[in-house]
Amino acid sequence: VTAGPALSTTRVTDLAAPAAQAVIEYTWMKIYNGKTSNACSNMPRFGHAGLLDQKQMSNLMSLLLDPKSPVNQ
């Protein structure tokens, strides 16, 4: 069962590249409050609702975006 878009669409090979900034900002906002980009989103508002703190959201971002992450292998 697919719960969202393929993670390969968010893969970033160089986090410092200017092109990666848009992906990083979108991913952060989607985790913080998924309803900002889609009012009908079923994704929880992890940051907005206090379900995850800033450190936990940063860790999740690392898991999703780091080229060395198991998610991106």
Side-chain angles (χ1 to χ4, degrees), residues 2-43:
T2 301
L7 291 176
S8 61
T9 62
T10 61
R11 187 171 297 148
V12 176
T13 56
D14 181 5
L15 294 171
Q21 191 62 35
V23 173
I24 292 168
E25 289 175 7
Y26 172 81
T27 305
W28 179 267
M29 188 49 71
K30 192 68 173 171
I31 293 169
Y32 185 82
N33 183 356
K35 301 218 185 270
T36 59
S37 61
N38 179 359
C40 297
S41 175
N42 288 326
M43 185 165 174

mmCIF file of all heavy atoms in Angstrom, residues 2-43:
data_model
loop_
_atom_site.group_PDB
_atom_site.id
_atom_site.type_symbol
_atom_site.label_atom_id
_atom_site.label_comp_id
_atom_site.label_asym_id
_atom_site.label_seq_id
_atom_site.Cartn_x
_atom_site.Cartn_y
_atom_site.Cartn_z
ATOM 1 N N THR A 2 0.608 2.170 -0.871
ATOM 2 C CA THR A 2 1.365 3.409 -0.954
ATOM 3 C C THR A 2 0.652 4.488 -0.155
ATOM 4 O O THR A 2 -0.545 4.702 -0.324
ATOM 5 C CB THR A 2 1.504 3.855 -2.424
ATOM 6 O OG1 THR A 2 2.156 2.819 -3.141
ATOM 7 C CG2 THR A 2 2.295 5.138 -2.531
ATOM 8 N N ALA A 3 1.391 5.158 0.716
ATOM 9 C CA ALA A 3 0.819 6.212 1.546
ATOM 10 C C ALA A 3 1.126 7.595 1.007
ATOM 11 O O ALA A 3 0.685 8.576 1.574
ATOM 12 C CB ALA A 3 1.345 6.077 2.967
ATOM 13 N N GLY A 4 1.869 7.678 -0.051
ATOM 14 C CA GLY A 4 2.222 8.986 -0.598
ATOM 15 C C GLY A 4 3.089 8.806 -1.819
ATOM 16 O O GLY A 4 3.244 7.702 -2.325
ATOM 17 N N PRO A 5 3.671 9.904 -2.285
ATOM 18 C CA PRO A 5 4.527 9.805 -3.470
ATOM 19 C C PRO A 5 5.797 9.019 -3.168
ATOM 20 O O PRO A 5 6.221 8.924 -2.018
ATOM 21 C CB PRO A 5 4.859 11.266 -3.793
ATOM 22 C CG PRO A 5 4.656 11.993 -2.519
ATOM 23 C CD PRO A 5 3.588 11.252 -1.769
ATOM 24 N N ALA A 6 6.379 8.455 -4.196
ATOM 25 C CA ALA A 6 7.618 7.698 -4.031
ATOM 26 C C ALA A 6 8.703 8.605 -3.454
ATOM 27 O O ALA A 6 8.821 9.762 -3.840
ATOM 28 C CB ALA A 6 8.065 7.138 -5.370
ATOM 29 N N LEU A 7 9.472 8.088 -2.517
ATOM 30 C CA LEU A 7 10.537 8.878 -1.915
ATOM 31 C C LEU A 7 11.612 9.226 -2.920
ATOM 32 O O LEU A 7 12.354 10.186 -2.737
ATOM 33 C CB LEU A 7 11.141 8.144 -0.718
ATOM 34 C CG LEU A 7 10.223 8.011 0.490
ATOM 35 C CD1 LEU A 7 10.896 7.174 1.564
ATOM 36 C CD2 LEU A 7 9.833 9.355 1.043
ATOM 37 N N SER A 8 11.693 8.468 -3.999
ATOM 38 C CA SER A 8 12.708 8.764 -5.005
ATOM 39 C C SER A 8 12.485 10.129 -5.637
ATOM 40 O O SER A 8 13.406 10.724 -6.167
ATOM 41 C CB SER A 8 12.727 7.689 -6.081
ATOM 42 O OG SER A 8 11.479 7.640 -6.741
ATOM 43 N N THR A 9 11.281 10.660 -5.553
ATOM 44 C CA THR A 9 11.017 11.988 -6.112
ATOM 45 C C THR A 9 11.594 13.090 -5.235
ATOM 46 O O THR A 9 11.741 14.219 -5.670
ATOM 47 C CB THR A 9 9.513 12.239 -6.298
ATOM 48 O OG1 THR A 9 8.875 12.192 -5.020
ATOM 49 C CG2 THR A 9 8.900 11.219 -7.233
ATOM 50 N N THR A 10 11.923 12.771 -3.988
ATOM 51 C CA THR A 10 12.491 13.765 -3.080
ATOM 52 C C THR A 10 13.979 13.554 -2.855
ATOM 53 O O THR A 10 14.580 14.233 -2.048
ATOM 54 C CB THR A 10 11.782 13.730 -1.709
ATOM 55 O OG1 THR A 10 11.949 12.453 -1.124
ATOM 56 C CG2 THR A 10 10.312 14.061 -1.852
ATOM 57 N N ARG A 11 14.560 12.613 -3.566
ATOM 58 C CA ARG A 11 15.982 12.305 -3.379
ATOM 59 C C ARG A 11 16.840 13.509 -3.751
ATOM 60 O O ARG A 11 16.650 14.129 -4.783
ATOM 61 C CB ARG A 11 16.374 11.103 -4.213
ATOM 62 C CG ARG A 11 17.791 10.622 -3.936
ATOM 63 C CD ARG A 11 18.069 9.319 -4.613
ATOM 64 N NE ARG A 11 17.180 8.305 -4.060
ATOM 65 C CZ ARG A 11 16.718 7.287 -4.750
ATOM 66 N NH1 ARG A 11 17.038 7.128 -6.004
ATOM 67 N NH2 ARG A 11 15.910 6.418 -4.190
ATOM 68 N N VAL A 12 17.767 13.830 -2.885
ATOM 69 C CA VAL A 12 18.690 14.942 -3.104
ATOM 70 C C VAL A 12 20.097 14.365 -3.059
ATOM 71 O O VAL A 12 20.473 13.713 -2.094
ATOM 72 C CB VAL A 12 18.522 16.017 -2.010
ATOM 73 C CG1 VAL A 12 19.540 17.109 -2.172
ATOM 74 C CG2 VAL A 12 17.111 16.587 -2.034
ATOM 75 N N THR A 13 20.869 14.607 -4.113
ATOM 76 C CA THR A 13 22.221 14.050 -4.142
ATOM 77 C C THR A 13 23.240 14.982 -3.514
ATOM 78 O O THR A 13 24.271 14.546 -3.045
ATOM 79 C CB THR A 13 22.649 13.722 -5.584
ATOM 80 O OG1 THR A 13 22.520 14.898 -6.373
ATOM 81 C CG2 THR A 13 21.788 12.622 -6.176
ATOM 82 N N ASP A 14 22.946 16.277 -3.475
ATOM 83 C CA ASP A 14 23.849 17.257 -2.872
ATOM 84 C C ASP A 14 23.011 18.263 -2.090
ATOM 85 O O ASP A 14 22.376 19.138 -2.668
ATOM 86 C CB ASP A 14 24.662 17.959 -3.958
ATOM 87 C CG ASP A 14 25.637 18.988 -3.397
ATOM 88 O OD1 ASP A 14 25.762 19.092 -2.151
ATOM 89 O OD2 ASP A 14 26.262 19.693 -4.201
ATOM 90 N N LEU A 15 23.002 18.113 -0.768
ATOM 91 C CA LEU A 15 22.171 18.974 0.076
ATOM 92 C C LEU A 15 22.577 20.441 0.017
ATOM 93 O O LEU A 15 21.781 21.324 0.322
ATOM 94 C CB LEU A 15 22.207 18.481 1.528
ATOM 95 C CG LEU A 15 21.559 17.120 1.768
ATOM 96 C CD1 LEU A 15 21.844 16.646 3.182
ATOM 97 C CD2 LEU A 15 20.073 17.170 1.508
ATOM 98 N N ALA A 16 23.808 20.707 -0.400
ATOM 99 C CA ALA A 16 24.292 22.088 -0.470
ATOM 100 C C ALA A 16 23.984 22.749 -1.813
ATOM 101 O O ALA A 16 24.153 23.961 -1.956
ATOM 102 C CB ALA A 16 25.792 22.127 -0.208
ATOM 103 N N ALA A 17 23.523 21.984 -2.764
ATOM 104 C CA ALA A 17 23.237 22.532 -4.094
ATOM 105 C C ALA A 17 22.047 23.491 -4.037
ATOM 106 O O ALA A 17 21.080 23.240 -3.312
ATOM 107 C CB ALA A 17 22.936 21.410 -5.070
ATOM 108 N N PRO A 18 22.107 24.585 -4.777
ATOM 109 C CA PRO A 18 20.988 25.535 -4.789
ATOM 110 C C PRO A 18 19.658 24.889 -5.184
ATOM 111 O O PRO A 18 18.608 25.246 -4.642
ATOM 112 C CB PRO A 18 21.416 26.579 -5.817
ATOM 113 C CG PRO A 18 22.903 26.488 -5.870
ATOM 114 C CD PRO A 18 23.225 25.041 -5.594
ATOM 115 N N ALA A 19 19.700 23.934 -6.077
ATOM 116 C CA ALA A 19 18.472 23.269 -6.510
ATOM 117 C C ALA A 19 17.831 22.446 -5.396
ATOM 118 O O ALA A 19 16.629 22.192 -5.418
ATOM 119 C CB ALA A 19 18.771 22.378 -7.708
ATOM 120 N N ALA A 20 18.618 22.035 -4.421
ATOM 121 C CA ALA A 20 18.098 21.228 -3.323
ATOM 122 C C ALA A 20 17.287 22.055 -2.333
ATOM 123 O O ALA A 20 16.454 21.506 -1.612
ATOM 124 C CB ALA A 20 19.247 20.543 -2.589
ATOM 125 N N GLN A 21 17.501 23.353 -2.304
ATOM 126 C CA GLN A 21 16.832 24.212 -1.321
ATOM 127 C C GLN A 21 15.312 24.113 -1.395
ATOM 128 O O GLN A 21 14.643 24.029 -0.374
ATOM 129 C CB GLN A 21 17.281 25.664 -1.494
ATOM 130 C CG GLN A 21 16.844 26.562 -0.366
ATOM 131 C CD GLN A 21 17.431 26.154 0.979
ATOM 132 O OE1 GLN A 21 18.557 25.698 1.062
ATOM 133 N NE2 GLN A 21 16.660 26.312 2.029
ATOM 134 N N ALA A 22 14.757 24.095 -2.591
ATOM 135 C CA ALA A 22 13.298 24.012 -2.744
ATOM 136 C C ALA A 22 12.767 22.689 -2.198
ATOM 137 O O ALA A 22 11.721 22.658 -1.535
ATOM 138 C CB ALA A 22 12.913 24.188 -4.203
ATOM 139 N N VAL A 23 13.484 21.601 -2.446
ATOM 140 C CA VAL A 23 13.074 20.287 -1.953
ATOM 141 C C VAL A 23 13.147 20.258 -0.431
ATOM 142 O O VAL A 23 12.246 19.753 0.245
ATOM 143 C CB VAL A 23 13.941 19.162 -2.567
ATOM 144 C CG1 VAL A 23 13.639 17.816 -1.932
ATOM 145 C CG2 VAL A 23 13.754 19.112 -4.066
ATOM 146 N N ILE A 24 14.202 20.826 0.122
ATOM 147 C CA ILE A 24 14.382 20.853 1.573
ATOM 148 C C ILE A 24 13.269 21.669 2.225
ATOM 149 O O ILE A 24 12.653 21.227 3.204
ATOM 150 C CB ILE A 24 15.775 21.407 1.934
ATOM 151 C CG1 ILE A 24 16.853 20.416 1.485
ATOM 152 C CG2 ILE A 24 15.880 21.706 3.423
ATOM 153 C CD1 ILE A 24 18.254 20.959 1.517
ATOM 154 N N GLU A 25 12.976 22.841 1.685
ATOM 155 C CA GLU A 25 11.922 23.694 2.256
ATOM 156 C C GLU A 25 10.553 23.035 2.144
ATOM 157 O O GLU A 25 9.764 23.057 3.083
ATOM 158 C CB GLU A 25 11.915 25.052 1.563
ATOM 159 C CG GLU A 25 13.107 25.903 1.924
ATOM 160 C CD GLU A 25 13.163 27.212 1.151
ATOM 161 O OE1 GLU A 25 12.196 27.529 0.411
ATOM 162 O OE2 GLU A 25 14.179 27.921 1.291
ATOM 163 N N TYR A 26 10.256 22.431 0.993
ATOM 164 C CA TYR A 26 8.973 21.764 0.808
ATOM 165 C C TYR A 26 8.826 20.597 1.792
ATOM 166 O O TYR A 26 7.775 20.433 2.417
ATOM 167 C CB TYR A 26 8.837 21.244 -0.629
ATOM 168 C CG TYR A 26 7.610 20.389 -0.825
ATOM 169 C CD1 TYR A 26 6.364 20.982 -1.029
ATOM 170 C CD2 TYR A 26 7.692 19.000 -0.783
ATOM 171 C CE1 TYR A 26 5.229 20.203 -1.191
ATOM 172 C CE2 TYR A 26 6.560 18.218 -0.939
ATOM 173 C CZ TYR A 26 5.334 18.813 -1.143
ATOM 174 O OH TYR A 26 4.215 18.032 -1.281
ATOM 175 N N THR A 27 9.878 19.802 1.929
ATOM 176 C CA THR A 27 9.824 18.643 2.825
ATOM 177 C C THR A 27 9.625 19.082 4.270
ATOM 178 O O THR A 27 8.815 18.505 4.997
ATOM 179 C CB THR A 27 11.100 17.786 2.679
ATOM 180 O OG1 THR A 27 11.258 17.423 1.309
ATOM 181 C CG2 THR A 27 11.028 16.534 3.523
ATOM 182 N N TRP A 28 10.350 20.119 4.682
ATOM 183 C CA TRP A 28 10.200 20.629 6.056
ATOM 184 C C TRP A 28 8.761 21.086 6.294
ATOM 185 O O TRP A 28 8.138 20.722 7.290
ATOM 186 C CB TRP A 28 11.169 21.776 6.327
ATOM 187 C CG TRP A 28 11.007 22.324 7.710
ATOM 188 C CD1 TRP A 28 10.230 23.366 8.099
ATOM 189 C CD2 TRP A 28 11.605 21.811 8.903
ATOM 190 N NE1 TRP A 28 10.314 23.547 9.457
ATOM 191 C CE2 TRP A 28 11.155 22.607 9.972
ATOM 192 C CE3 TRP A 28 12.487 20.763 9.162
ATOM 193 C CZ2 TRP A 28 11.549 22.381 11.285
ATOM 194 C CZ3 TRP A 28 12.884 20.547 10.470
ATOM 195 C CH2 TRP A 28 12.415 21.352 11.507
ATOM 196 N N MET A 29 8.211 21.872 5.362
ATOM 197 C CA MET A 29 6.863 22.378 5.556
ATOM 198 C C MET A 29 5.833 21.256 5.515
ATOM 199 O O MET A 29 4.860 21.276 6.255
ATOM 200 C CB MET A 29 6.532 23.442 4.503
ATOM 201 C CG MET A 29 5.213 24.147 4.781
ATOM 202 S SD MET A 29 4.979 24.771 6.481
ATOM 203 C CE MET A 29 6.116 26.114 6.523
ATOM 204 N N LYS A 30 6.055 20.266 4.685
ATOM 205 C CA LYS A 30 5.131 19.134 4.607
ATOM 206 C C LYS A 30 5.126 18.364 5.923
ATOM 207 O O LYS A 30 4.074 17.914 6.369
ATOM 208 C CB LYS A 30 5.528 18.221 3.444
ATOM 209 C CG LYS A 30 4.502 17.194 3.093
ATOM 210 C CD LYS A 30 3.270 17.826 2.498
ATOM 211 C CE LYS A 30 2.315 16.759 1.999
ATOM 212 N NZ LYS A 30 1.034 17.292 1.608
ATOM 213 N N ILE A 31 6.289 18.210 6.549
ATOM 214 C CA ILE A 31 6.360 17.530 7.842
ATOM 215 C C ILE A 31 5.750 18.415 8.929
ATOM 216 O O ILE A 31 4.986 17.941 9.766
ATOM 217 C CB ILE A 31 7.818 17.159 8.196
ATOM 218 C CG1 ILE A 31 8.330 16.093 7.228
ATOM 219 C CG2 ILE A 31 7.927 16.659 9.638
ATOM 220 C CD1 ILE A 31 9.822 15.856 7.326
ATOM 221 N N TYR A 32 6.079 19.699 8.916
ATOM 222 C CA TYR A 32 5.592 20.611 9.951
ATOM 223 C C TYR A 32 4.074 20.729 9.906
ATOM 224 O O TYR A 32 3.394 20.611 10.916
ATOM 225 C CB TYR A 32 6.243 21.993 9.811
ATOM 226 C CG TYR A 32 5.843 22.912 10.935
ATOM 227 C CD1 TYR A 32 6.498 22.850 12.161
ATOM 228 C CD2 TYR A 32 4.792 23.810 10.787
ATOM 229 C CE1 TYR A 32 6.114 23.662 13.208
ATOM 230 C CE2 TYR A 32 4.399 24.616 11.830
ATOM 231 C CZ TYR A 32 5.067 24.552 13.045
ATOM 232 O OH TYR A 32 4.673 25.342 14.078
ATOM 233 N N ASN A 33 3.536 20.997 8.718
ATOM 234 C CA ASN A 33 2.096 21.162 8.567
ATOM 235 C C ASN A 33 1.703 20.792 7.146
ATOM 236 O O ASN A 33 1.734 21.629 6.252
ATOM 237 C CB ASN A 33 1.687 22.604 8.876
ATOM 238 C CG ASN A 33 0.187 22.817 8.805
ATOM 239 O OD1 ASN A 33 -0.569 21.918 8.465
ATOM 240 N ND2 ASN A 33 -0.241 24.018 9.125
ATOM 241 N N GLY A 34 1.345 19.536 6.941
ATOM 242 C CA GLY A 34 1.012 19.027 5.618
ATOM 243 C C GLY A 34 -0.161 19.729 4.969
ATOM 244 O O GLY A 34 -0.331 19.681 3.759
ATOM 245 N N LYS A 35 -0.980 20.395 5.751
ATOM 246 C CA LYS A 35 -2.163 21.062 5.199
ATOM 247 C C LYS A 35 -1.838 22.387 4.522
ATOM 248 O O LYS A 35 -2.687 22.957 3.849
ATOM 249 C CB LYS A 35 -3.195 21.251 6.289
ATOM 250 C CG LYS A 35 -3.625 19.923 6.903
ATOM 251 C CD LYS A 35 -5.061 19.889 7.227
ATOM 252 C CE LYS A 35 -5.442 18.623 7.933
ATOM 253 N NZ LYS A 35 -5.838 17.561 7.079
ATOM 254 N N THR A 36 -0.617 22.888 4.654
ATOM 255 C CA THR A 36 -0.284 24.159 3.998
ATOM 256 C C THR A 36 -0.231 24.019 2.492
ATOM 257 O O THR A 36 -0.556 24.951 1.774
ATOM 258 C CB THR A 36 1.071 24.723 4.490
ATOM 259 O OG1 THR A 36 2.093 23.762 4.226
ATOM 260 C CG2 THR A 36 1.034 25.057 5.952
ATOM 261 N N SER A 37 0.163 22.856 2.000
ATOM 262 C CA SER A 37 0.246 22.658 0.552
ATOM 263 C C SER A 37 -0.965 21.906 0.002
ATOM 264 O O SER A 37 -1.184 21.893 -1.198
ATOM 265 C CB SER A 37 1.529 21.917 0.184
ATOM 266 O OG SER A 37 1.552 20.648 0.798
ATOM 267 N N ASN A 38 -1.730 21.288 0.884
ATOM 268 C CA ASN A 38 -2.911 20.542 0.462
ATOM 269 C C ASN A 38 -3.878 20.481 1.637
ATOM 270 O O ASN A 38 -3.684 19.718 2.576
ATOM 271 C CB ASN A 38 -2.509 19.140 0.009
ATOM 272 C CG ASN A 38 -3.693 18.293 -0.416
ATOM 273 O OD1 ASN A 38 -4.835 18.718 -0.370
ATOM 274 N ND2 ASN A 38 -3.405 17.080 -0.827
ATOM 275 N N ALA A 39 -4.926 21.276 1.577
ATOM 276 C CA ALA A 39 -5.869 21.368 2.698
ATOM 277 C C ALA A 39 -6.545 20.037 3.011
ATOM 278 O O ALA A 39 -7.000 19.821 4.135
ATOM 279 C CB ALA A 39 -6.922 22.430 2.403
ATOM 280 N N CYS A 40 -6.597 19.145 2.054
ATOM 281 C CA CYS A 40 -7.253 17.845 2.253
ATOM 282 C C CYS A 40 -6.260 16.738 2.602
ATOM 283 O O CYS A 40 -6.614 15.565 2.613
ATOM 284 C CB CYS A 40 -8.037 17.472 1.004
ATOM 285 S SG CYS A 40 -9.379 18.615 0.648
ATOM 286 N N SER A 41 -5.018 17.093 2.874
ATOM 287 C CA SER A 41 -3.988 16.104 3.175
ATOM 288 C C SER A 41 -4.345 15.297 4.423
ATOM 289 O O SER A 41 -4.858 15.842 5.406
ATOM 290 C CB SER A 41 -2.645 16.812 3.398
ATOM 291 O OG SER A 41 -1.670 15.879 3.802
ATOM 292 N N ASN A 42 -4.068 14.008 4.368
ATOM 293 C CA ASN A 42 -4.265 13.145 5.533
ATOM 294 C C ASN A 42 -3.011 13.061 6.390
ATOM 295 O O ASN A 42 -3.023 12.426 7.430
ATOM 296 C CB ASN A 42 -4.674 11.740 5.091
ATOM 297 C CG ASN A 42 -6.088 11.710 4.570
ATOM 298 O OD1 ASN A 42 -6.953 12.438 5.041
ATOM 299 N ND2 ASN A 42 -6.328 10.884 3.569
ATOM 300 N N MET A 43 -1.933 13.695 5.929
ATOM 301 C CA MET A 43 -0.685 13.657 6.684
ATOM 302 C C MET A 43 -0.843 14.475 7.970
ATOM 303 O O MET A 43 -1.330 15.599 7.941
ATOM 304 C CB MET A 43 0.452 14.225 5.850
ATOM 305 C CG MET A 43 1.786 14.114 6.531
ATOM 306 S SD MET A 43 3.084 14.391 5.325
ATOM 307 C CE MET A 43 4.492 14.399 6.394
#
